[in-house]
Amino acid sequence: MEKPVVGLAPMDGVTDAVFRYMVCRMSRPSFVMTEFVNVEGLARGAVKKMPAFIFDEVERPIVAQVFGVEVDSFYKAAVLVCALGFDGIDINMGCPAKKVEKKGSGAGLIQTPELARDIIWAVKRGVADFVSGVSLEEAGVHHEIIEWCGGVGEWRGVKKLRGVEERRELPVSVKTRIGYDKPVTEEWIGQILEAGPDVVSLHGRTLRQMYSGKADWDEIGKGAELCRKAGVMIIGNGDVSSMEDAERKIEEYGVDGVMVGRAVLGNPWFFGGEEPVMGELGKTARLKAALAHCENFEKILGKHMAFHNMKKHLGWYVKGFDGARDLRAELMQTENLEDVEKLIGNMLE
Ligand SMILES: Cc1cc2nc3c(=O)[nH]c(=O)nc-3n(C[C@H](O)[C@H](O)[C@H](O)COP(=O)(O)O)c2cc1C
């Protein structure tokens, strides 16, 4: 049987360059996605968003995820994402966070299907214009963002802006939910499909459900049927707990693949099909991964972000063995790589 398509779902504050690097080194997801980046922020020149777009070759295929409401800003973001060398661009139409949704972006777009379609068309236009040779300046990308890109070649995985010969057409995807306050899967997916995305990713919850209850895979199955008829790839999402579960859901609900979020927290081995390494046997592997995560953080994001931003990962790695609870508490007091080395290093000798 062909290897099933099982990707890493985007998670804000989690799937940054370091975590994705760890996951791709430890096991092989079919694809990964960045955290979501606000297109209006990019259009205003907010360079502080750019570290979310740092990536390493080992992560390919890698999809950049963006969110917002301004059609023109989506166009500019699409050209930028192409120029940065990503393998795909995803439009977030699923985020239920109040601050996102009340502006009409994320899952808020489920209530404005015409705007949602305009956004998809704008992104497709950006991709097509990039292929035809438009420059970042011509596309109206903010000059501070362009300057930032010029400097990013320093870190090993970060692309210099791609040359004209590398201009290729990226697939445009939409990641969304099954409805706003009740499931309206067929109506909503039908509306999205009119704009011709290449891929639809569907999380089987409504916006109102946030992350509670169970993902409704029957609704995902309905979306899958519509996508199949339209010749559009569909990725199901929600509560996938293991590679076996992924294969079973792909088979049962007629999706082309799945993406997995929370089950990968503290478990970069997920896509290798291994059970999470638990107990004393797994202790060394977990501690090594925690330390490697810190080392990679210093190398990759250390100059862009404070150390405390990644400490939650340490908490997720350090579990399932005797003494894990106390060690976790101590790790939460650390302030840098040296502190972590002092705590974990001698346990690994
Ligand atoms: C902490 C966290 C952050 C998330 N951030 C994003 C995001 O930036 N973009 C997005 O499309 N979905 C985001 N999601 C939703 C996940 O991609 C996924 O749809 C959801 O967690 C259900 O999949 P799971 O059951 O495999 O976790 C986030 C979820 C979590 C738990």
Side-chain angles (χ1 to χ4, degrees), residues 125-173:
R125 210 168 54 245
V127 169
D129 285 359
F130 180 76
V131 174
S132 316
V134 80
S135 68
L136 291 178
E137 288 84 357
E138 284 162 350
V141 176
H142 197 282
H143 66 94
E144 287 185 45
I145 300 283
I146 298 177
E147 274 159 36
W148 197 94
C149 293
V152 293
E154 296 155 22
W155 184 64
R156 55 196 158 129
V158 181
K159 300 284 98 204
K160 294 256 189 227
L161 293 179
R162 290 189 156 238
V164 177
E165 72 284 359
E166 290 177 286
R167 289 173 184 260
R168 65 197 162 112
E169 190 153 346
L170 300 195
V172 174
S173 58

Side-chain angles (χ1 to χ4, degrees), residues 6 68 82 111 138 209 217 278 295:
V6 187
C82 292
Q111 291 191 307
E138 284 162 350
Q209 282 178 287
W217 276 83
M278 287 291 185
E295 287 163 0

Side-chain angles (χ1 to χ4, degrees), residues 9-14 34-36 65 90 92 94-95 175 177 203 205 211 237-240 259-263:
M11 287 180 283
D12 187 38
V14 178
T34 68
E35 303 165 270
F36 67 172
Q65 194 190 55
D90 184 78
N92 179 313
C95 180
K175 179 167 179 287
R177 291 185 174 234
H203 176 192
R205 289 186 175 84
Y211 295 96
N237 169 240
D239 305 341
V240 174
M259 64 167 82
V260 189
R262 289 165 296 175

Side-chain angles (χ1 to χ4, degrees), residues 108-281:
L109 284 165
I110 299 172
Q111 291 191 307
T112 53
E114 279 181 26
L115 176 58
R117 280 195 296 265
D118 285 347
I119 287 172
I120 299 170
W121 280 316
V123 169
K124 285 171 66 117
R125 210 168 54 245
V127 169
D129 285 359
F130 180 76
V131 174
S132 316
V134 80
S135 68
L136 291 178
E137 288 84 357
E138 284 162 350
V141 176
H142 197 282
H143 66 94
E144 287 185 45
I145 300 283
I146 298 177
E147 274 159 36
W148 197 94
C149 293
V152 293
E154 296 155 22
W155 184 64
R156 55 196 158 129
V158 181
K159 300 284 98 204
K160 294 256 189 227
L161 293 179
R162 290 189 156 238
V164 177
E165 72 284 359
E166 290 177 286
R167 289 173 184 260
R168 65 197 162 112
E169 190 153 346
L170 300 195
V172 174
S173 58
V174 172
K175 179 167 179 287
T176 189
R177 291 185 174 234
I178 56 176
Y180 190 88
D181 42 21
K182 59 176 192 310
V184 287
T185 311
E186 281 156 311
E187 183 188 346
W188 168 231
I189 299 300
Q191 285 160 331
I192 293 177
L193 288 175
E194 281 172 31
D198 299 292
V199 186
V200 171
S201 301
L202 190 54
H203 176 192
R205 289 186 175 84
T206 61
L207 172 143
R208 282 272 176 270
Q209 282 178 287
M210 306 286 286
Y211 295 96
S212 67
K214 269 173 61 182
D216 188 335
W217 276 83
D218 289 327
E219 288 295 324
I220 295 176
K222 291 182 196 169
E225 203 172 326
L226 279 181
C227 288
R228 232 186 1 262
K229 281 186 191 144
V232 169
M233 183 177 189
I234 167 114
I235 302 291
N237 169 240
D239 305 341
V240 174
S241 59
S242 65
M243 286 298 277
E244 292 79 52
D245 189 28
E247 284 189 42
R248 198 176 48 77
K249 286 195 161 84
I250 291 170
E251 184 74 25
E252 196 171 330
Y253 297 99
V255 290
D256 297 298
V258 299
M259 64 167 82
V260 189
R262 289 165 296 175
V264 194
L265 301 181
N267 184 11
W269 304 274
F270 181 92
F271 300 94
E274 302 283 322
E275 282 300 302
V277 194
M278 287 291 185
E280 288 306 303
L281 262 181

